């Protein structure tokens, strides 16, 4: 197991513009469906506060859906619109800040129920504005930034991926044209919140329906894909993979976050089975848990500045004190990720 001295690089401060974090750990966004009719309650505030009290550098909330007919097909996923939901998030922000933490909402649209080809240009413009409204509300509520969910086959990613975007207008075409929607969302959010409010964009090659999917085949394509997103105003890229240790392209040991940082110069967040001995597919395909695993493969990459921040998902879902236990060398006290542990410690 990783010793305390080895893990020290996880606990260096990080600053970018107005965002200052006490360490490099990030709570990854994880959908829980615990907000009845879209309204986060006191239990949600307590859930996030527990992680802040235990030293998480930055909390990214579960996905919060925008005000659009297709944005959600799950009634207990939280909204980021409407007075009741927004009041609930204000309490979450207050609790996290009181505990010394930083928090951003992940702003989400689950995707077109039919096909992105069916959206009119006018409806796309409306969706873009709803993202911007959500960003403005997040800023008003006191969040420390926002994350836009552009990964895993949800709406922004449906525009990115050639299998779900066959549009022939400016929102389609090659992989650069398919970034147009995302770039418009980022730009609209930037205009809504101003230059100093952090915008994170989560991206992935893989999809919930296809783990082997690729948006781009090589580093040159990735560079071209990322350029419109950087120009639109992304501050940090959250680079989702199933296994952080896997190289993204042949001929280099860099993972997805490593490549994105190298090509853009922007800070990146890495994620994917950190602290666990099994990847996310085992949970979704078999319902099984994972044991705790060493961070020895992660720390050298962080020390080499291949990426800047480290997002922890299921390990932190199972154990609210995961970060403080790693910091304090209490590895024997780590709670393994099991469905039973998650139900107990939410």
């Amino acid at each position: 197991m990783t010793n305390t001295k080895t893990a020290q690089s996880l606990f260096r401060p990080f600053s970018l513009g107005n965002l200052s974090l006490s360490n490099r750990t990030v709570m990854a966004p994880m959908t829980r469906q615990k907000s009845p009719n879209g309204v986060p309650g006191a239990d949600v505030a307590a859930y996030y506060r527990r992680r802040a009290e235990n030293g998480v550098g930055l909390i990214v909330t579960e996905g919060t859906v925008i005000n659009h007919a297709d944005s959600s097909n799950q009634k207990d996923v939280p909204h980021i619109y409407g007075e009741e939901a927004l009041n609930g998030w204000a309490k979450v922000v207050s609790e996290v800040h009181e505990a010394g933490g930083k928090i951003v909402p992940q702003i989400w649209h689950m995707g077109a129920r039919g096909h992105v080809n069916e959206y009119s240009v006018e409806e796309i413009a409306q969706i873009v504005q709803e993202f911007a409204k959500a960003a403005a509300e997040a800023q008003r509520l006191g969040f420390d930034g926002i994350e836009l969910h552009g990964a895993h086959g949800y709406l922004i990613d449906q525009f990115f991926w050639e299998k779900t975007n066959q549009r022939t207008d400016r929102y389609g075409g090659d992989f650069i044209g398919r970034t147009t929607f995302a770039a418009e969302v980022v730009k609209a959010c930037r205009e809504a919140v101003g230059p100093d409010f952090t915008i994170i964009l989560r991206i992935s090659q893989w999809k919930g329906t296809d783990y082997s999917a690729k948006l781009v085949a090589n580093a040159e394509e990735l560079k071209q894909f990322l350029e419109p997103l950087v120009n639109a105003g992304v501050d940090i890229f959250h680079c989702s993979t199933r296994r952080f240790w896997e190289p993204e392209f042949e001929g280099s040991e860099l993972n997805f976050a490593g490549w994105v940082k190298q090509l853009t110069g922007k800070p990146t967040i890495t994620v994917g089975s950190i602290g666990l001995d099994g990847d996310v597919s085992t949970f979704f395909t078999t319902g099984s848990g994972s044991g705790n695993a060493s961070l020895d493969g992660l720390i050298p990459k962080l020390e080499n500045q291949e990426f800047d921040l480290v997002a922890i998902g299921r390990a932190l879902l199972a154990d609210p004190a995961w970060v403080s236990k790693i910091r304090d060398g209490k590895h024997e006290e780590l709670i393994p990720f099991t469905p039973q542990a998650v139900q107990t410690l939410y």
Side-chain angles (χ1 to χ4, degrees):
M1 180 60 71
T2 307
N3 62 47
T4 305
K5 184 176 179 181
T6 303
Q8 283 180 350
S9 57
L10 267 178
F11 297 96
R12 298 195 318 269
F14 172 85
S15 292
L16 180 71
N18 289 344
L19 181 67
S20 295
L21 308 179
S22 62
N23 61 57
R24 304 302 177 110
T25 65
V26 176
M27 181 178 183
M30 291 171 285
T31 296
R32 303 187 310 131
Q33 299 187 57
K34 296 285 186 177
S35 298
N37 298 311
V39 177
D43 58 328
V44 175
Y47 164 80
Y48 288 115
R49 180 174 182 132
R50 280 194 291 276
R51 276 74 186 175
E53 288 173 337
N54 281 284
V56 173
L58 176 66
I59 292 170
V60 182
T61 74
E62 60 212 282
T64 68
V65 294
I66 65 170
N67 187 13
H68 181 254
D70 290 349
S71 69
S72 176
N73 57 19
Q74 298 166 347
K75 70 181 181 67
D76 294 334
V77 162
H79 299 168
I80 189 109
Y81 65 90
E83 184 177 3
E84 244 191 308
L86 294 173
N87 287 343
W89 283 119
K91 291 172 185 169
V92 173
V93 171
S94 176
E95 291 282 343
V96 168
H97 285 169
E98 189 177 289
K102 300 292 177 71
I103 184 168
V104 302
Q106 186 187 71
I107 301 177
W108 192 22
H109 187 302
M110 292 187 188
R113 296 178 192 224
H115 211 287
V116 298
N117 299 356
E118 296 169 12
Y119 282 145
S120 67
V121 171
E122 292 75 20
E123 188 162 13
I124 290 173
Q126 177 198 346
I127 295 169
V128 169
Q129 286 309 306
E130 290 300 335
F131 272 102
K133 287 179 187 176
E137 292 287 17
Q139 186 179 47
R140 180 182 67 81
L141 294 173
F143 279 103
D144 299 292
I146 61 167
E147 174 170 292
L148 299 168
H149 198 342
H152 305 167
Y154 298 114
L155 183 67
I156 291 174
D157 200 25
Q158 287 180 339
F159 276 90
F160 284 154
W161 197 26
E162 62 183 348
K163 289 191 178 180
T164 47
N165 181 355
Q166 286 91 43
R167 297 181 71 101
T168 56
D169 60 5
R170 64 194 178 91
Y171 293 104
D174 62 13
F175 56 81
I176 300 173
R178 294 195 300 272
T179 67
T180 301
F181 173 69
E184 289 186 358
V185 169
V186 173
K187 185 178 179 183
C189 289
R190 175 58 70 207
E191 290 173 353
V193 300
D196 301 322
F197 196 65
T198 301
I199 296 178
I200 305 167
L201 177 64
R202 196 175 216 211
I203 56 175
S204 70
Q205 295 258 49
W206 67 278
K207 318 300 165 201
T209 57
D210 186 350
Y211 288 150
S212 64
K214 298 287 184 184
L215 294 176
V216 294
N218 53 54
E220 180 55 35
E221 288 185 356
L222 181 59
K223 182 179 180 180
Q224 294 176 59
F225 170 82
L226 292 167
E227 187 173 359
L229 305 173
V230 171
N231 292 341
V234 174
D235 294 307
I236 300 172
F237 286 95
H238 189 173
C239 305
S240 179
T241 55
R242 291 166 59 213
R243 307 177 183 102
F244 77 87
W245 58 88
E246 290 186 343
E248 188 58 39
F249 303 120
E250 289 185 11
S252 168
E253 291 301 307
L254 288 177
N255 71 2
F256 191 34
W259 272 111
V260 171
K261 180 176 181 178
Q262 179 171 294
L263 294 170
T264 66
K266 294 290 184 180
T268 58
I269 305 170
T270 196
V271 69
S273 304
I274 289 167
L276 300 177
D277 63 4
D279 71 28
V280 68
S281 63
T282 61
F283 182 63
F284 288 118
T285 57
T286 69
S288 61
S290 301
N292 296 315
S294 168
L295 301 179
D296 290 350
L298 173 77
I299 299 302
K301 290 179 174 291
L302 182 61
E303 291 178 340
N304 289 341
Q305 300 181 40
E306 293 179 24
F307 38 75
D308 302 270
L309 298 162
V310 174
I312 303 101
R314 288 165 296 140
L316 196 50
L317 189 65
D319 191 343
W322 189 92
V323 170
S324 61
K325 289 175 182 177
I326 293 293
R327 181 194 63 210
D328 299 338
K330 298 179 179 179
H331 306 111
E332 70 285 352
E333 296 181 16
L334 290 169
I335 299 169
F337 174 84
T338 65
Q340 294 76 20
V342 169
Q343 289 168 6
T344 302
L345 293 170
Y346 254 16

